[in-house]
Amino acid sequence: MSTRTAPALDPSADIVDLTAAIVDIESVSGNEKALADAVEQALRTHAPHLEVLRDGDTVIARTHHGRDRRVLLAGHLDTVPVAANLPSSRRLREGREELVGRGSCDMKGGVAVMLKLAVEAADVPMDLTWLFYDHEEVAAADNSLTRLAAEHPELLEADFAILGEPTSAGVEGGCKGTMKLEVTARGVAAHSARDWVGANAIHHLAPVLERLAAYEARRAVIDGLEYRECLNAVAITGGIAGNVIPDRASATLNYRFAPDTSVEQAEAHVREVLAGLDLEIEVTDSAPGALPGLDTAARDFLAALGGEVPLAAKQGWTDVSRFSALGTPAVNFGPGDPLLAHTDDEHVPVDDLTRALEGLRRYLLAA
């Protein structure tokens, strides 16, 4: 865990400058403390209208005006590992200004928008909860929202939630579920010069890869939004030396399934795809998806954004799923192209930052 002191954040700064400052505080999952400290300090210094709470490396800020409804706005502080893409930089490409750097898209641009508005929105027609949380990019069990839901569910109570995930400043409904599975093949160890007395476990994974390569993923249309499922091998391990036939080999699979499918149904489907093969299959991580949830609150949000705001399915998993499980309708809305999340060339267009900021500002003031 980092012990460094983060520079102060100025929420009154230009949105691009604020985003760059947040990006430059490295916060790979497990190392969010410095950024959480900076966010907490900014809120305590610049937002006297907010009650500010700290739970681990999660910062919660709330109004208590006695309004008849509460909206929760959440953004995760962590990123995937850095890939020579820090500190941030700016560039002009094809006539478009972009901020480049790890987390700029997923999702420090969204965090910057929310931090700026948390300070601005002192008197709006609803009560607000601002949630800046840790450990989103890792296993669901480590996500701080898992802890909050179990220990302090009152902090997550709301009538509507907005997750600042990258959506190119459009609205993305629901999310796909996710599941990781470890598929293990067994063999018999032997000297590689006498392979006929052994059985190669790595070779026994070949039928698994063949089935995955031939797999035709389902496309599910729900409330007019199309979710594309994906089932892939994402890692293979096996072998102990260059002259030993391996007696064990494993493939890690990741299944992204449409939100009309439960976790139990998702596991059953993967087992069906691999049926008949001599394998050990273990689910190591899973989280359900979330249906689009385009109820009245979401429609009001779309209307407040104004113009022809794109509406699409979220082709990934987000914490919209958690709020759906709590009975809270939720959508994804934030700056940045989701296709750039986790890439080495991760960046966010300046226009996205501006449109997301202005859209959320209109919603908060007009609601």
Side-chain angles (χ1 to χ4, degrees), residues 113-129:
V113 167
M114 291 181 177
L115 181 60
K116 191 172 186 65
L117 289 175
V119 171
E120 284 186 15
D123 186 19
V124 295
M126 76 282 275
D127 272 309
L128 300 174
T129 297

Side-chain angles (χ1 to χ4, degrees), residues 14-17 19-20 89-100 104 335-336 340 346-355:
D14 171 80
I15 187 59
V16 185
D17 292 337
T19 303
S89 61
R90 302 189 196 192
R91 71 185 179 203
L92 189 66
R93 187 171 63 167
E94 298 179 355
R96 184 173 74 169
E97 187 179 359
E98 299 170 339
L99 178 68
V100 184
S104 55
L340 295 173
E346 185 175 356
H347 61 270
V348 61
V350 168
D351 284 349
D352 272 21
L353 291 169
T354 302
R355 287 189 295 120

Side-chain angles (χ1 to χ4, degrees), residues 113-169:
V113 167
M114 291 181 177
L115 181 60
K116 191 172 186 65
L117 289 175
V119 171
E120 284 186 15
D123 186 19
V124 295
M126 76 282 275
D127 272 309
L128 300 174
T129 297
W130 304 92
L131 187 63
F132 303 91
Y133 63 103
D134 58 287
H135 283 84
E136 189 272 350
E137 297 289 7
V138 287
D142 296 327
N143 188 314
S144 66
L145 295 189
T146 302
R147 180 182 70 253
L148 289 178
E151 299 177 2
H152 301 288
E154 73 280 0
L155 297 179
L156 303 182
E157 290 179 357
D159 299 291
F160 181 54
I162 301 168
L163 276 293
E165 293 286 345
T167 63
S168 297

Side-chain angles (χ1 to χ4, degrees), residues 195-246:
D195 65 355
W196 59 88
V197 299
N200 195 313
I202 292 178
H203 294 178
H204 293 172
L205 288 177
V208 175
L209 302 181
E210 290 172 355
R211 292 194 186 185
L212 294 177
Y215 180 76
E216 294 187 7
R218 183 173 75 111
R219 297 190 180 195
V221 178
I222 305 169
D223 292 348
L225 304 183
E226 182 181 74
Y227 296 86
R228 298 182 60 172
E229 296 192 335
C230 308
L231 176 59
N232 292 283
V234 294
I236 292 182
T237 59
I240 60 171
N243 60 354
V244 177
I245 298 298

Side-chain angles (χ1 to χ4, degrees), residues 23-47:
V23 169
D24 288 341
I25 303 174
E26 181 266 301
S27 58
V28 173
S29 301
N31 198 35
E32 298 97 323
K33 183 180 184 302
L35 182 52
D37 288 347
V39 168
E40 180 184 9
Q41 179 187 1
L43 291 169
R44 292 192 185 279
T45 301
H46 300 281

